Amino acid sequence: MIANSMDKRLDTPASAAAMTQADIRSVLIGVMLAMFLAALDQTIVATALPTMGRELNDVTHLSWIVTIYLLASTAVTPLYGKLADIHGRRVTLLAGIIVFMIGSIACALAPSLWLLVIARFVQGLGGGGLIALAQTIVGDMVPPKERGRYQVYFASVFMSSSLLGPVLGGFLSEKLHWSVIFWINLPLGLGAYWMSSEALKRLPRHERPHSLDVLGAVLMTLATVSLLLALSWGGTTYPWRSPEIAGLVGASLVFWALFAWRLRRAAEPLIPLDVFGNGVVRRGTVAAGFGMGTFIGLTIYLPLYFETVMGMSATHSGLGLLPLTCGTVVGATSSGRAMSHLTHYKRVPLAGLLVAMTGTAVLAAFSGQIPLLPFCVILAIVSIGFGTLLPVATVAIQNAVQAHQLGTVTAVANFFRQIGGALIVAVFGAIVLGGVGGAAAKLSPEALKLGTVDRETMVVLFRYVFGAASLGFALAWLSLARMQELPLRGRAVEAAKAIGGE
């Protein structure tokens, strides 16, 4: 099946002849701005939450501001991919930007917390497809042989949003007003729209007459929302063994089973069966899911290690994450550029994941014993090793399908990355929260200042967290090792020169 699909694909993208250098540059800047919109909104809100709670007179339900965006954006990601394959990349991306900006305006004007939650839901509906669509559009412009080197731009977007988001969120909400963190989306969104609207008309057209499987989309959305609610509430709002969590998990399993049934029965399923049956897509997606999920879990729980084990302040604990977030760009750059020259392009991320496994295993073995500087060096090495996986997984998956399925497969891969992140974050949370008695309040800033958290307990708990991280990277390595290494198609020297490639 893979061989047949390979025969049907073009060796070079139509964009090489149809698009000028200015068009390619404009599209790249536009889609990077679109990605930055979605990525920044996932990091800028966290530090503004306390201010929002005080001014809206509701601190109890603050977590919904984050949870509802995660639910909406994750659930609609595969829908954006399918719509892009049906109606084209341009109209789908621009629609996502418009919905995101409408949601941002509603967030900024929200007079109460629950209206803000509703507005965040709308914002998530718009932001859910921006990252996957940006990767799809670059896939249309640049052939797989050259595509890996451009993943560094995407990695840079995530790194900059991770660094700027928390700082901007805290500064703007404290010095100006919390609504400013949503108002700034308007110039960014207008810039993304303006930069990409005209140039996207020159993209090669791969869409075909299709119908959207509405029932399949509803079933998949219900399954996703049920699962994410269980993962978000488990161990915090409700005990893991509570009837509420059991009911959500059970409902998710039922909806996933119905979705699988629908895939086999629908005349044109939401996700084509040959995509699921493609071994490269399946194993590449699993590898990226485990790798990205482990990375996200570390970024969320490492500040607790810095504060409870190393005695650092909240501000300094955020700075301690810099080696972890910056290293991914180095790793992605190295493996992305290597893909243009290596026949066996899997060797770089396989070696990188081995390094990440070893680094997290060292952290597990010597939890609480490693001084700050060596600890940060190990984090940087782990991050560089993991970063090598990102471009290879994305490009290999896109390289294994026909051009008219590019949007669907890219969105599906991003969807399962997000699900993997939620699952592994829940595992890390179960380890940490379970170890302190299941009460998140014991890990609050006030509790840390009072010294009510026992350091030795946290040392032991993070030994398990780092061990789980090493296992997560190991599972990513196993899946990548089993992925077939298909030859990458085509070269696009002119496209590369147009946007600064070599």
Side-chain angles (χ1 to χ4, degrees):
M1 179 166 53
I2 295 175
N4 291 337
S5 66
M6 288 285 289
D7 292 338
K8 297 176 183 178
R9 295 191 311 250
L10 298 175
D11 288 332
T12 57
S15 58
M19 300 184 70
T20 66
Q21 293 184 3
D23 287 334
I24 296 172
R25 188 180 300 110
S26 178
V27 169
L28 182 66
I29 296 173
V31 298
M32 285 180 67
L33 277 173
M35 287 186 71
F36 187 71
L37 273 175
L40 182 66
D41 215 68
Q42 296 175 13
T43 59
I44 197 173
V45 171
T47 49
L49 286 177
T51 305
M52 292 180 187
R54 287 194 304 270
E55 297 197 10
L56 297 175
N57 298 315
D58 191 344
V59 178
T60 306
H61 302 102
L62 275 179
S63 62
W64 272 105
I65 296 176
V66 176
T67 301
I68 199 68
Y69 185 90
L70 174 67
L71 293 176
S73 60
T74 302
V76 300
T77 295
L79 298 182
Y80 272 94
K82 186 70 174 180
L83 290 171
D85 285 340
I86 296 175
H87 300 294
R89 322 305 192 206
R90 177 180 176 272
V91 66
T92 310
L93 179 70
L94 298 182
I97 293 173
I98 291 172
V99 173
F100 185 87
M101 288 194 295
I102 292 172
S104 297
I105 295 172
C107 287
L109 297 175
S112 68
L113 185 130
W114 285 112
L115 287 176
L116 176 59
V117 168
I118 294 172
R120 285 282 287 172
F121 178 80
V122 176
Q123 199 182 31
L125 294 179
L130 296 183
I131 294 174
L133 285 174
Q135 293 175 329
T136 301
I137 289 167
V138 172
D140 287 331
M141 294 192 299
V142 183
K145 187 73 175 177
E146 302 293 321
R147 200 174 298 161
R149 69 178 66 197
Y150 305 113
Q151 298 299 313
V152 65
Y153 295 101
F154 298 154
S156 299
V157 166
F158 286 111
M159 184 189 73
S160 58
S161 65
S162 298
L163 297 178
L164 291 175
V167 177
L168 278 177
F171 176 82
L172 294 176
S173 62
E174 181 181 349
K175 302 298 183 182
L176 299 175
H177 190 265
W178 62 263
S179 62
V180 179
I181 69 174
F182 299 112
W183 286 123
I184 63 173
N185 288 332
L186 297 188
L188 290 174
L190 290 173
Y193 192 102
W194 177 73
M195 289 296 298
S196 55
S197 179
E198 286 300 317
L200 283 174
K201 294 178 181 178
R202 308 295 298 275
L203 280 178
R205 304 295 295 269
H206 299 303
E207 62 267 22
R208 295 183 177 184
H210 293 291
S211 61
L212 180 64
D213 180 18
V214 177
L215 178 58
V218 170
L219 290 172
M220 186 198 66
T221 301
L222 292 173
T224 304
V225 170
S226 301
L227 177 60
L228 290 179
L229 281 175
L231 295 174
S232 298
W233 286 345
T236 54
T237 305
Y238 302 103
W240 281 108
R241 297 182 181 180
S242 66
E244 291 83 358
I245 299 302
L248 286 170
V249 172
S252 181
L253 291 174
V254 170
F255 287 130
W256 282 121
L258 290 173
F259 178 63
W261 169 83
R262 179 63 181 173
L263 289 180
R264 295 182 177 276
R265 297 292 188 275
E268 188 171 345
L270 182 67
I271 303 174
L273 292 177
D274 59 339
V275 168
F276 276 128
N278 188 315
V280 174
V281 174
R282 189 171 59 252
R283 295 186 178 97
T285 299
V286 170
F290 276 116
M292 181 62 77
T294 302
F295 174 77
I296 293 172
L298 287 174
T299 60
I300 289 176
Y301 282 99
L302 266 175
L304 277 177
Y305 180 87
F306 287 129
E307 293 180 46
T308 59
V309 176
M310 293 190 167
M312 296 169 62
S313 67
T315 301
H316 289 151
S317 68
L319 294 175
L321 285 178
L322 289 178
L324 189 67
T325 55
C326 295
T328 55
V329 178
V330 178
T333 302
S334 61
S335 65
R337 292 188 180 279
M339 288 189 79
S340 303
H341 309 290
L342 297 178
T343 302
H344 299 290
Y345 49 86
K346 286 198 315 181
R347 292 178 180 176
V348 175
L350 286 174
L353 287 172
L354 280 175
V355 169
M357 289 163 50
T358 304
T360 46
V362 169
L363 295 180
F366 299 98
S367 177
Q369 303 175 40
I370 305 175
L372 179 60
L373 181 58
F375 188 89
C376 289
V377 170
I378 294 174
L379 282 186
I381 293 172
V382 168
S383 180
I384 293 170
F386 157 71
T388 60
L389 170 67
L390 299 177
V392 173
T394 299
V395 174
I397 289 168
Q398 293 179 334
N399 183 64
V401 299
Q402 300 178 49
H404 69 275
Q405 294 178 326
L406 192 62
T408 298
V409 74
T410 305
V412 167
N414 277 274
F415 171 75
F416 282 107
R417 285 187 188 186
Q418 291 172 285
I419 293 292
L423 283 169
I424 294 178
V425 167
V427 170
F428 287 7
I431 293 172
V432 176
L433 294 177
V436 296
K442 294 183 179 180
L443 297 175
S444 66
E446 292 76 14
L448 296 177
K449 290 177 182 178
L450 293 172
T452 55
V453 180
D454 179 58
R455 180 183 184 277
E456 293 307 314
T457 298
M458 297 306 294
V459 168
V460 173
L461 293 178
F462 271 96
R463 181 170 291 127
Y464 292 121
V465 168
F466 294 135
S470 185
L471 177 61
F473 288 133
L475 292 173
W477 186 93
L478 286 173
S479 186
L480 185 67
R482 296 184 60 204
M483 185 186 77
Q484 185 181 359
E485 202 171 41
L486 295 177
L488 298 178
R489 294 175 284 115
R491 301 185 68 88
V493 176
E494 291 304 316
K497 290 180 179 177
I499 49 179
E502 295 176 354

